[in-house]
PDB file of all heavy atoms in Angstrom:
ATOM      1  N   THR A  34      -2.196  -7.502  -4.818  1.00 98.00           N
ATOM      2  CA  THR A  34      -1.161  -7.886  -3.847  1.00 98.00           C
ATOM      3  C   THR A  34      -0.592  -6.656  -3.131  1.00 98.00           C
ATOM      4  O   THR A  34      -0.823  -5.523  -3.545  1.00 98.00           O
ATOM      5  CB  THR A  34       0.031  -8.588  -4.557  1.00 98.00           C
ATOM      6  OG1 THR A  34       0.756  -7.599  -5.308  1.00 98.00           O
ATOM      7  CG2 THR A  34      -0.414  -9.694  -5.495  1.00 98.00           C
ATOM      8  N   GLY A  35       0.190  -6.943  -2.085  1.00 98.00           N
ATOM      9  CA  GLY A  35       0.988  -5.906  -1.444  1.00 98.00           C
ATOM     10  C   GLY A  35       2.274  -5.702  -2.239  1.00 98.00           C
ATOM     11  O   GLY A  35       2.441  -6.274  -3.333  1.00 98.00           O
ATOM     12  N   LYS A  36       3.189  -4.937  -1.673  1.00 97.00           N
ATOM     13  CA  LYS A  36       4.402  -4.573  -2.407  1.00 97.00           C
ATOM     14  C   LYS A  36       5.290  -5.769  -2.711  1.00 97.00           C
ATOM     15  O   LYS A  36       5.754  -5.944  -3.829  1.00 97.00           O
ATOM     16  CB  LYS A  36       5.200  -3.529  -1.611  1.00 97.00           C
ATOM     17  CG  LYS A  36       4.952  -2.097  -2.043  1.00 97.00           C
ATOM     18  CD  LYS A  36       5.688  -1.723  -3.327  1.00 97.00           C
ATOM     19  CE  LYS A  36       5.031  -0.634  -4.156  1.00 97.00           C
ATOM     20  NZ  LYS A  36       3.885  -0.967  -4.973  1.00 97.00           N
ATOM     21  N   PHE A  62      -1.971  -5.670  -9.743  1.00 98.00           N
ATOM     22  CA  PHE A  62      -1.964  -4.408  -8.999  1.00 98.00           C
ATOM     23  C   PHE A  62      -1.264  -4.686  -7.674  1.00 98.00           C
ATOM     24  O   PHE A  62      -1.745  -5.481  -6.858  1.00 98.00           O
ATOM     25  CB  PHE A  62      -3.410  -3.931  -8.764  1.00 98.00           C
ATOM     26  CG  PHE A  62      -3.471  -2.635  -7.996  1.00 98.00           C
ATOM     27  CD1 PHE A  62      -3.441  -1.420  -8.665  1.00 98.00           C
ATOM     28  CD2 PHE A  62      -3.521  -2.636  -6.603  1.00 98.00           C
ATOM     29  CE1 PHE A  62      -3.476  -0.224  -7.963  1.00 98.00           C
ATOM     30  CE2 PHE A  62      -3.553  -1.446  -5.893  1.00 98.00           C
ATOM     31  CZ  PHE A  62      -3.527  -0.235  -6.576  1.00 98.00           C
ATOM     32  N   ASP A  63      -0.100  -4.070  -7.462  1.00 98.00           N
ATOM     33  CA  ASP A  63       0.671  -4.422  -6.250  1.00 98.00           C
ATOM     34  C   ASP A  63       0.748  -3.249  -5.260  1.00 98.00           C
ATOM     35  O   ASP A  63       1.670  -3.161  -4.452  1.00 98.00           O
ATOM     36  CB  ASP A  63       2.082  -4.918  -6.619  1.00 98.00           C
ATOM     37  CG  ASP A  63       2.957  -3.797  -7.184  1.00 98.00           C
ATOM     38  OD1 ASP A  63       2.474  -2.655  -7.323  1.00 98.00           O
ATOM     39  OD2 ASP A  63       4.136  -4.074  -7.481  1.00 98.00           O
ATOM     40  N   GLY A  64      -0.262  -2.388  -5.286  1.00 96.00           N
ATOM     41  CA  GLY A  64      -0.192  -1.179  -4.444  1.00 96.00           C
ATOM     42  C   GLY A  64      -0.961  -1.269  -3.134  1.00 96.00           C
ATOM     43  O   GLY A  64      -1.330  -0.233  -2.574  1.00 96.00           O
ATOM     44  N   ILE A  65      -1.196  -2.478  -2.621  1.00 98.00           N
ATOM     45  CA  ILE A  65      -1.978  -2.582  -1.374  1.00 98.00           C
ATOM     46  C   ILE A  65      -1.049  -2.440  -0.164  1.00 98.00           C
ATOM     47  O   ILE A  65      -0.092  -3.202  -0.003  1.00 98.00           O
ATOM     48  CB  ILE A  65      -2.748  -3.924  -1.315  1.00 98.00           C
ATOM     49  CG1 ILE A  65      -3.699  -4.042  -2.523  1.00 98.00           C
ATOM     50  CG2 ILE A  65      -3.500  -4.046   0.012  1.00 98.00           C
ATOM     51  CD1 ILE A  65      -4.728  -2.932  -2.652  1.00 98.00           C
ATOM     52  N   GLU A  66      -1.361  -1.481   0.689  1.00 97.00           N
ATOM     53  CA  GLU A  66      -0.567  -1.235   1.880  1.00 97.00           C
ATOM     54  C   GLU A  66      -1.159  -1.999   3.074  1.00 97.00           C
ATOM     55  O   GLU A  66      -2.285  -2.493   2.991  1.00 97.00           O
ATOM     56  CB  GLU A  66      -0.506   0.283   2.177  1.00 97.00           C
ATOM     57  CG  GLU A  66      -1.844   0.934   2.569  1.00 97.00           C
ATOM     58  CD  GLU A  66      -2.783   1.281   1.402  1.00 97.00           C
ATOM     59  OE1 GLU A  66      -3.006   0.414   0.541  1.00 97.00           O
ATOM     60  OE2 GLU A  66      -3.333   2.398   1.398  1.00 97.00           O
ATOM     61  N   SER A  73      -7.015   2.824  -2.082  1.00 98.00           N
ATOM     62  CA  SER A  73      -6.231   1.846  -2.861  1.00 98.00           C
ATOM     63  C   SER A  73      -7.139   0.788  -3.479  1.00 98.00           C
ATOM     64  O   SER A  73      -6.885   0.319  -4.590  1.00 98.00           O
ATOM     65  CB  SER A  73      -5.228   1.118  -1.972  1.00 98.00           C
ATOM     66  OG  SER A  73      -4.342   2.028  -1.414  1.00 98.00           O
TER      67      SER A  73
END
Side-chain angles (χ1 to χ4, degrees):
T34 71
K36 263 282 152 282
F62 180 89
D63 69 358
I65 301 302
E66 66 279 49
S73 299

